[in-house]
Amino acid sequence: TQIVIEAVAERMDVKHKVFAQLAAQAPAECILATNTSSLSVSEIARAVPHPERVVGMHFFNPVKKMPLVEVVKGEHTSDATVTAVAALAVRLGKTPVIVQDVAGFLVNRLLGPYLDEAVRLFADGADPARIDRLMLDFGMPMGPLRLLDEVGLDIASHASAALHAAYGARMTPCAAVQALSTPERLGVKTGRGFYVRTPRGKGKPSLAPDLARFQTGSAARGLSDQDLRDRMLLSMANEAARCLEQGVVSSAQVLDLATVFGMGFAPFHGGLMRWIEAEGRAEIAARLQRIAVAPDVVARPGGAEKFTPAAWFRRDAR
């Protein structure tokens, strides 16, 4: 089986142009895979003859280190194409997870509300060092604000806008990232974001000294460590429950695999869903409901919807 993997700019017009050229030059049975992280595989395949051969093969950065590959099944993608690409991922030493073609696919759809919640807590007065320390202590490989710098504040803004367009009010992005983001301040690639890096990246990055001017509220200052941690983790947990309801992945076990290998979710917890089950579904649902009715959450666009427990939590835990 022949396969072409495309990794051009994240613009649908560019993807359509490249795939039209590929379809004209490659044999009809050649698999055409896109490394898109945010665009619809079904839409990319729309103008391609034999769309059953078009599939998503989403690698994570840095590719050398990250073991996960999301194999994205578009509307017309054949099972044979999915199987061939998953087998290729295994031969490359990666762990494939088959996901449906929804905005953000799986991992970025879960990361979106988690990172946004961290920024909201920061904007509402929480100490940025505390935000990152709490998630490091939980077992994440790095804090969410540090991760935003790694991703790039411009890329994060683009991704959050795409999630908002797809999922509505509950994914309304916090304005603080947009306020922080300037051509000179995009995170690691410019040496400055939430953190400041020394020239050539030597030495440990330190929090930028001017962050206080981007904090526009004070509601998060009085929150406990548990409250802060819950707001970040449970925003991700609730979206994961929705993904299971919608069949984005085949099982909670597959979702766990993706969270550990794709975002580094604290491995000793066994994955996001395993952590939820260990805490107890009823307990997590109760904590979500408490956040959903908090005055500062109710006051923001989509806040109550974001934290109102998904129907999955009310199902028989068996």
Side-chain angles (χ1 to χ4, degrees):
T1 304
Q2 291 181 300
I3 181 168
V4 176
I5 304 172
E6 159 279 313
V8 299
E10 284 285 272
R11 282 176 41 192
M12 189 59 78
D13 59 332
V14 176
K15 301 283 191 190
H16 277 157
K17 187 176 179 181
V18 168
F19 270 77
Q21 292 171 348
L22 288 173
Q25 295 176 40
E29 66 276 8
C30 177
I31 293 172
L32 305 179
T34 173
N35 183 42
T36 184
S37 61
S38 62
L39 299 177
S40 166
V41 172
S42 302
E43 175 59 23
I44 290 170
R46 185 171 51 81
V48 177
H50 307 291
E52 70 277 359
R53 62 187 169 147
V54 179
V55 64
M57 193 177 187
H58 177 216
F59 293 83
F60 289 79
N61 281 321
V63 175
K64 278 186 178 181
K65 291 184 179 178
M66 298 299 282
L68 189 76
V69 170
E70 287 179 322
V71 179
V72 187
K73 192 176 191 298
E75 184 183 350
H76 300 293
T77 309
S78 69
D79 290 343
T81 298
V82 169
T83 301
V85 170
L88 173 61
V90 171
R91 290 204 300 278
L92 292 172
K94 301 295 184 185
T95 300
V97 165
I98 297 162
V99 302
Q100 297 302 311
D101 185 21
V102 297
F105 307 137
L106 177 67
V107 172
N108 285 339
R109 178 173 169 179
L110 301 185
L111 275 174
Y114 164 70
L115 295 175
D116 181 74
E117 201 59 32
V119 174
R120 285 186 183 281
L121 293 169
F122 157 74
D124 278 347
D127 175 20
R130 184 181 174 207
I131 290 169
D132 274 3
R133 177 180 53 77
L134 283 170
M135 297 319 300
L136 280 170
D137 290 348
F138 177 78
M140 300 298 255
M142 67 175 64
L145 302 181
R146 176 93 180 266
L147 178 56
L148 279 162
D149 274 6
E150 293 286 337
V151 169
L153 300 185
D154 52 340
I155 302 297
S157 291
H158 174 77
S160 62
L163 290 172
H164 184 211
Y167 298 114
R170 75 173 187 271
M171 292 279 195
T172 303
C174 178
V177 168
Q178 202 69 45
L180 266 160
S181 183
T182 64
E184 303 79 36
R185 187 179 202 144
L186 298 175
V188 170
K189 57 191 167 191
T190 59
R192 188 179 187 87
F194 283 97
Y195 288 80
V196 178
R197 283 148 187 85
T198 55
R200 299 191 201 92
K202 292 183 178 178
K204 194 176 177 183
S206 56
L207 280 164
D210 64 341
L211 288 179
R213 70 188 176 94
F214 298 101
Q215 293 182 302
T216 53
S218 58
R221 283 182 197 158
L223 295 176
S224 69
D225 285 356
Q226 178 72 49
D227 290 335
L228 292 173
R229 198 162 39 233
D230 270 0
R231 288 199 181 194
M232 290 183 276
L233 285 171
L234 299 193
S235 61
M236 184 163 38
N238 214 21
E239 200 60 36
R242 294 187 188 101
C243 287
L244 288 179
E245 288 173 0
Q246 295 163 14
V248 176
V249 286
S250 59
S251 69
Q253 290 75 21
V254 172
L255 192 147
D256 278 340
L257 189 73
T259 58
V260 172
F261 285 166
M263 68 172 74
F265 186 89
F268 57 87
H269 287 298
L272 178 57
M273 305 315 293
R274 183 74 67 85
W275 173 75
I276 289 170
E277 297 291 9
E279 295 284 304
R281 285 197 203 186
E283 167 64 18
I284 293 291
R287 278 149 62 180
L288 275 165
Q289 190 58 47
R290 281 198 295 274
I291 299 170
V293 298
D296 62 307
V297 171
V298 172
R300 63 160 115 137
E305 181 192 347
K306 182 179 185 179
F307 287 104
T308 298
W312 180 87
F313 287 102
R314 297 191 293 274
R315 290 183 188 162
D316 188 329
R318 289 176 299 176

